[in-house]
Coordinates of all heavy atoms in Angstrom, one line a residue:
E1 N -19.2 81.5 23.8 CA -20.2 81.7 22.7 C -19.5 82.6 21.7 O -19.6 82.5 20.4 CB -21.6 82.1 23.1 CG -22.4 82.4 21.9 CD -23.8 83.0 22.4 OE1 -24.0 83.3 23.5 OE2 -24.6 83.1 21.5
A2 N -19.1 83.9 22.1 CA -18.5 84.7 21.2 C -17.3 84.4 20.5 O -17.1 84.7 19.3 CB -18.1 86.1 22.1
R3 N -16.6 83.4 21.1 CA -15.3 82.9 20.3 C -15.6 81.9 19.4 O -14.6 81.5 18.6 CB -14.5 82.3 21.5 CG -13.7 83.3 22.4 CD -13.0 82.6 23.5 NE -12.2 83.7 24.4 CZ -11.7 83.4 25.5 NH1 -11.7 82.1 26.0 NH2 -11.1 84.3 26.2
T4 N -17.0 81.6 19.2 CA -17.3 80.6 18.2 C -17.6 81.3 16.8 O -18.0 80.7 15.9 CB -18.4 79.8 18.5 OG1 -19.5 80.7 18.8 CG2 -18.1 78.9 19.8
G5 N -17.5 82.7 16.8 CA -17.8 83.4 15.6 C -17.1 83.1 14.3 O -17.7 83.2 13.2
L6 N -15.8 82.8 14.5 CA -15.1 82.3 13.2 C -14.9 80.8 13.0 O -14.1 80.3 12.3 CB -13.6 83.0 13.3 CG -13.6 84.4 13.1 CD1 -12.2 84.9 13.3 CD2 -14.2 84.9 11.8
Q7 N -15.7 80.0 13.8 CA -15.7 78.6 13.7 C -16.6 78.1 12.6 O -17.6 78.7 12.2 CB -16.1 77.8 15.0 CG -15.2 78.3 16.2 CD -13.8 77.8 16.0 OE1 -13.6 76.7 15.6 NE2 -12.7 78.7 16.3
P8 N -16.3 76.9 12.0 CA -17.1 76.4 10.9 C -18.5 76.0 11.3 O -18.6 75.6 12.5 CB -16.3 75.3 10.2 CG -15.5 74.8 11.3 CD -15.0 76.1 12.2
T9 N -19.6 76.1 10.5 CA -20.8 75.4 10.7 C -21.1 74.3 9.7 O -20.7 74.5 8.5 CB -21.9 76.4 10.8 OG1 -21.9 77.2 9.5 CG2 -21.6 77.5 11.9
L10 N -21.9 73.3 10.1 CA -22.4 72.4 9.1 C -23.8 72.2 9.2 O -24.4 72.4 10.4 CB -21.7 71.0 9.5 CG -20.2 70.8 9.3 CD1 -19.7 69.5 10.0 CD2 -19.8 71.0 7.9
S11 N -24.5 72.0 8.2 CA -25.9 71.8 8.1 C -26.3 70.8 7.2 O -25.5 70.5 6.1 CB -26.6 73.2 7.7 OG -26.2 73.6 6.5
L12 N -27.3 70.1 7.4 CA -27.8 69.0 6.7 C -29.3 69.2 6.4 O -30.2 69.5 7.3 CB -27.7 67.6 7.4 CG -28.2 66.4 6.6 CD1 -27.4 66.2 5.4 CD2 -28.2 65.2 7.6
S13 N -29.7 69.2 5.0 CA -30.9 69.3 4.6 C -31.4 68.2 3.6 O -30.6 67.6 2.9 CB -31.1 70.8 3.9 OG -30.4 70.8 2.7
G14 N -32.6 67.9 3.6 CA -33.1 66.8 2.8 C -34.5 67.2 2.2 O -35.2 68.0 2.8
G15 N -34.9 66.5 1.1 CA -36.2 66.6 0.5 C -36.7 65.5 -0.2 O -35.9 64.5 -0.5
F16 N -37.9 65.4 -0.6 CA -38.6 64.3 -1.2 C -39.1 64.9 -2.5 O -39.9 65.8 -2.4 CB -39.6 63.7 -0.3 CG -40.3 62.5 -1.1 CD1 -39.7 61.3 -1.2 CD2 -41.6 62.7 -1.8 CE1 -40.4 60.3 -1.9 CE2 -42.2 61.7 -2.3 CZ -41.6 60.4 -2.4
N17 N -38.7 64.4 -3.7 CA -39.3 64.9 -5.0 C -40.1 63.9 -5.7 O -39.8 62.6 -5.7 CB -38.0 65.2 -5.9 CG -37.1 66.2 -5.3 OD1 -37.6 67.2 -4.7 ND2 -35.8 66.1 -5.5
R18 N -41.4 64.4 -6.2 CA -42.2 63.6 -6.9 C -42.9 64.4 -8.0 O -43.3 65.6 -7.7 CB -43.2 63.1 -6.0 CG -44.3 62.2 -6.7 CD -45.3 61.6 -5.8 NE -46.4 60.9 -6.4 CZ -47.3 60.1 -5.9 NH1 -47.1 59.9 -4.5 NH2 -48.2 59.6 -6.6
A19 N -42.9 63.9 -9.2 CA -43.6 64.5 -10.4 C -44.7 63.7 -11.0 O -44.4 62.4 -11.2 CB -42.7 65.0 -11.3
D20 N -45.7 64.2 -11.3 CA -46.9 63.4 -12.0 C -46.8 63.9 -13.5 O -46.6 65.1 -13.8 CB -48.2 63.8 -11.4 CG -48.2 63.2 -10.1 OD1 -47.5 62.3 -9.7 OD2 -49.1 63.7 -9.2
V21 N -47.0 63.0 -14.4 CA -47.2 63.2 -15.9 C -48.6 62.8 -16.2 O -49.1 61.6 -16.0 CB -46.2 62.4 -16.7 CG1 -46.5 62.6 -18.2 CG2 -44.8 62.6 -16.2
A22 N -49.5 63.6 -16.7 CA -50.9 63.6 -17.1 C -51.6 63.0 -16.1 O -52.4 62.1 -16.2 CB -50.8 62.8 -18.4
G23 N -51.3 63.3 -14.7 CA -52.1 62.8 -13.6 C -51.7 61.4 -13.2 O -52.3 60.9 -12.3
V24 N -50.7 60.9 -13.7 CA -50.3 59.5 -13.4 C -49.0 59.5 -12.6 O -48.1 60.1 -13.1 CB -50.1 58.6 -14.5 CG1 -49.6 57.2 -14.1 CG2 -51.3 58.5 -15.4
P25 N -49.0 59.2 -11.3 CA -47.7 59.3 -10.6 C -46.6 58.5 -11.2 O -46.8 57.2 -11.6 CB -48.1 58.8 -9.2 CG -49.6 58.9 -9.2 CD -50.2 58.8 -10.5
Q26 N -45.4 58.9 -11.2 CA -44.3 58.3 -11.7 C -43.6 57.6 -10.6 O -43.1 58.2 -9.6 CB -43.3 59.2 -12.4 CG -43.9 60.0 -13.6 CD -44.3 59.0 -14.6 OE1 -43.6 58.2 -15.1 NE2 -45.6 59.2 -15.1
R27 N -43.5 56.2 -10.7 CA -43.0 55.4 -9.5 C -41.5 55.3 -9.7 O -40.7 54.8 -8.7 CB -43.6 54.1 -9.4 CG -45.1 54.1 -9.4 CD -45.5 54.7 -7.9 NE -46.9 54.6 -7.8 CZ -47.5 55.1 -6.6 NH1 -46.8 55.9 -5.8 NH2 -48.8 55.1 -6.5
T28 N -41.0 55.6 -10.8 CA -39.5 55.4 -11.0 C -38.8 56.7 -11.2 O -39.4 57.7 -11.8 CB -39.2 54.4 -12.1 OG1 -39.6 54.8 -13.2 CG2 -39.7 53.0 -11.8
A29 N -37.5 56.9 -10.7 CA -36.9 58.2 -11.0 C -36.1 58.2 -12.3 O -35.6 57.2 -12.7 CB -35.9 58.3 -9.8
S30 N -36.3 59.2 -12.9 CA -35.5 59.5 -14.2 C -35.2 60.9 -14.4 O -35.8 61.7 -13.7 CB -36.6 59.0 -15.4 OG -37.8 59.8 -15.4
P31 N -34.4 61.1 -15.4 CA -34.1 62.7 -15.6 C -35.4 63.5 -16.0 O -35.4 64.6 -15.5 CB -33.0 62.6 -16.7 CG -32.4 61.2 -16.5 CD -33.6 60.3 -16.2
Q32 N -36.3 62.8 -16.7 CA -37.5 63.5 -17.0 C -38.5 63.7 -15.9 O -39.3 64.7 -15.8 CB -38.2 62.9 -18.2 CG -37.3 62.9 -19.5 CD -36.2 61.9 -19.4 OE1 -36.3 60.9 -18.7 NE2 -35.2 62.2 -20.4
S33 N -38.5 62.7 -15.0 CA -39.4 62.7 -13.9 C -38.8 62.3 -12.6 O -38.9 61.1 -12.2 CB -40.7 61.8 -14.2 OG -40.2 60.5 -14.4

């Protein structure tokens, strides 16, 4: 375990983005929403 101190590490993260405009959900992705 100690010898892994200088070994590389990989991590994967993910998320779900959603924005509402005037209370109406936007079903399509766009730079604005």
